[in-house]
Amino acid sequence: MRRKTRQIFVGDVAIGGDAPISIQSMTNTKTSDLEGTVKQILALEEAGCDIVRFAVNSEEDAKTIPEIKKRIHIPTIADIQFNYQLALYAIEYGADGLRINPGNIGEKWKVKEVVDAAKEAGISIRVGVNSGSVHQEYIEKYHGVNVDSLCYSALDEVRILESLGFSDIKVSIKSSDVNQSIEVNRKFASMTDYPLHLGITEAGNKEQGLIKSSVGIGSLLHDGIGDTIRISLTDDPCREVEAGKILLRTLGLRKEGVEIISCPTCARTDIDLIPLVNEAQEAFKSYKKPLKIAIMGCPVNGPGEAKEADFGISGGKGKGIIFSKGKIIRTVEEENLLKALLEEMERY
Ligand code: SF4
């Protein structure tokens, strides 16, 4: 069962409560590069991103926010590291949410200014901690960076905002160690009802990053923990979003989109299956309808093994068959298989 959390908003996207689990990513353009940033955000939207974050490192970055917002359709989060003035600019120029840690801002009056401006603008704040920013006092108290020092550092950030009467908060606690990430989020989830943003920090390139994130984020989601996710990859940010969608669909937490079921290939495979599956993955990635498509290597096991698929292809010698719910619809030459599948889906 999903953990009960309070609900907050980033723009018009609800996070927590009974809201669907949202997918986030972050741009890697210079935020002040208006054309580049807008182009990347539009690509992220097309991939299915719900909320986009960008770094605000200068006043110029902040001043670009209104122009960015005019040309995109999803809410924005301004990521601020230390400078409270930049947080104030980001709010002034219309960011829909902030990511900032009050502990990094310094004097309490500066934190208060940011919190007052966020309240006035009606925007939420993400706080948290990762393995590189655990508070020194907890490193000493709990003898290093571990579940306790991570958890209590994050709780401190929350308490600072609460002490200023602010509770539109979501929390992220990230470690590059998957087991530690799972345990600390479980612990924190048992202590508060704030919505959690899940991610594995510095997860790596697409192979390693996908596995680490799927295990870490997937385990927590399976426990009912997590309200919004980002799969961090050293790769094109659109891949993060595509992976996020697959992860949510795998766990039954999102229905829309195409799930491709494909066989691992073996000595019975009679067509060039691997490029076919890759082409299909590409062709279906922005489909919104919930469909299962099977792509199997041989006619004997193909339709039978993929009975529950809405549509499918199975290979024969230089040919293949298109099937739906285990029933054969037509036979086609190998080079036309994907085209024929798309035609049949169109008819459907
Ligand atoms: S579906 Fe056919 S080709 Fe694919 S793994 Fe199974 S037996 Fe082999």
Side-chain angles (χ1 to χ4, degrees):
M1 207 174 64
R2 190 163 163 201
R3 167 182 170 248
K4 279 207 180 339
T5 54
R6 69 178 73 190
Q7 193 167 71
I8 64 158
F9 282 84
V10 177
D12 57 2
V13 175
I15 295 171
D18 55 3
I21 292 159
S22 48
I23 298 172
Q24 304 196 23
S25 184
M26 188 168 182
T27 54
N28 58 14
T29 53
K30 297 283 174 223
T31 305
S32 55
D33 166 13
L34 176 64
E35 295 305 323
T37 304
V38 166
K39 186 170 171 222
Q40 194 168 62
I41 297 175
L42 292 176
L44 286 166
E45 286 181 9
E46 176 71 20
C49 185
D50 298 306
I51 297 168
V52 66
R53 179 158 55 103
F54 43 65
V56 172
N57 289 322
S58 62
E59 188 179 349
E60 205 192 341
D61 284 346
K63 280 186 172 160
T64 316
I65 297 173
E67 282 308 309
I68 294 174
K69 285 190 59 174
K70 268 188 214 156
R71 291 164 55 181
I72 65 167
H73 316 88
I74 53 175
T76 58
I77 295 180
D79 188 287
I80 315 284
Q81 283 210 301
F82 301 102
N83 187 330
Y84 88 108
Q85 191 61 53
L86 289 180
L88 293 176
Y89 286 141
I91 298 171
E92 180 186 338
Y93 288 108
D96 302 296
L98 278 190
R99 183 211 180 184
I100 191 165
N101 280 335
N104 288 344
I105 297 180
E107 292 97 319
K108 193 140 185 183
W109 66 267
K110 291 182 180 169
V111 180
K112 187 174 176 334
E113 278 201 30
V114 173
V115 167
D116 287 347
K119 269 192 216 164
E120 172 95 16
I123 65 171
S124 57
I125 301 181
R126 168 180 151 195
V127 298
V129 68
N130 65 33
S131 22
S133 60
V134 177
H135 299 180
Q136 192 55 35
E137 60 170 301
Y138 292 118
I139 293 182
E140 283 162 23
K141 185 169 176 189
Y142 295 108
H143 313 292
V145 174
N146 50 38
V147 170
D148 287 323
S149 55
L150 277 160
C151 185
Y152 289 104
S153 297
L155 202 58
D156 264 8
E157 301 290 343
V158 171
R159 298 293 182 233
I160 296 173
L161 294 189
E162 284 177 339
S163 73
L164 294 164
F166 192 86
S167 57
D168 284 338
I169 301 168
K170 69 176 180 302
V171 180
S172 74
I173 312 176
K174 296 182 175 186
S175 167
S176 52
D177 179 310
V178 172
N179 290 320
Q180 201 170 59
S181 284
I182 295 171
E183 283 166 36
V184 70
N185 277 284
R186 281 183 184 153
K187 184 177 171 89
F188 192 87
S190 70
M191 295 165 76
T192 78
D193 70 346
Y194 286 108
L196 287 174
H197 171 97
L198 302 183
I200 302 296
T201 195
E202 293 126 24
N205 71 352
K206 60 185 178 213
E207 281 84 18
Q208 180 185 287
L210 284 174
I211 292 174
K212 285 180 83 170
S213 297
S214 305
V215 173
I217 300 174
S219 302
L220 287 161
L221 290 173
H222 182 72
D223 286 352
I225 295 170
D227 303 279
T228 179
I229 64 169
R230 177 191 177 195
I231 295 193
S232 304
L233 296 176
T234 314
D235 205 327
D236 178 343
C238 288
R239 295 231 0 125
E240 300 188 343
V241 174
E242 288 155 16
K245 278 164 59 182
I246 295 172
L247 180 60
L248 292 180
R249 228 175 18 236
T250 304
L251 288 161
L253 296 166
R254 257 195 198 201
K255 297 277 176 266
E256 69 263 33
V258 171
E259 180 183 350
I260 293 186
I261 302 163
S262 57
C263 78
T265 71
C266 74
R268 295 186 197 96
T269 313
D270 280 331
I271 53 168
D272 199 4
L273 195 77
I274 297 169
L276 181 63
V277 170
N278 290 336
E279 273 173 52
Q281 194 83 54
E282 196 56 31
F284 295 131
K285 72 180 181 195
S286 51
Y287 264 55
K288 300 271 184 286
K289 276 195 186 143
L291 288 173
K292 269 192 187 169
I293 309 285
I295 305 184
M296 314 297 273
C298 75
V300 181
N301 290 339
E305 280 190 10
K307 265 197 202 81
E308 81 280 22
D310 295 294
F311 285 95
I313 290 173
S314 72
K317 287 208 182 328
K319 288 186 184 201
I321 53 173
I322 309 288
F323 59 89
S324 175
K325 303 273 185 200
K327 288 210 178 76
I328 295 171
I329 308 178
R330 63 194 257 214
T331 305
V332 219
E333 297 300 313
E334 179 175 348
E335 58 273 22
N336 294 326
L337 277 169
L338 190 57
K339 190 168 152 264
L341 175 71
L342 290 166
E343 283 166 10
E344 290 306 325
M345 287 171 62
E346 218 38 63
R347 236 194 291 279
Y348 165 82

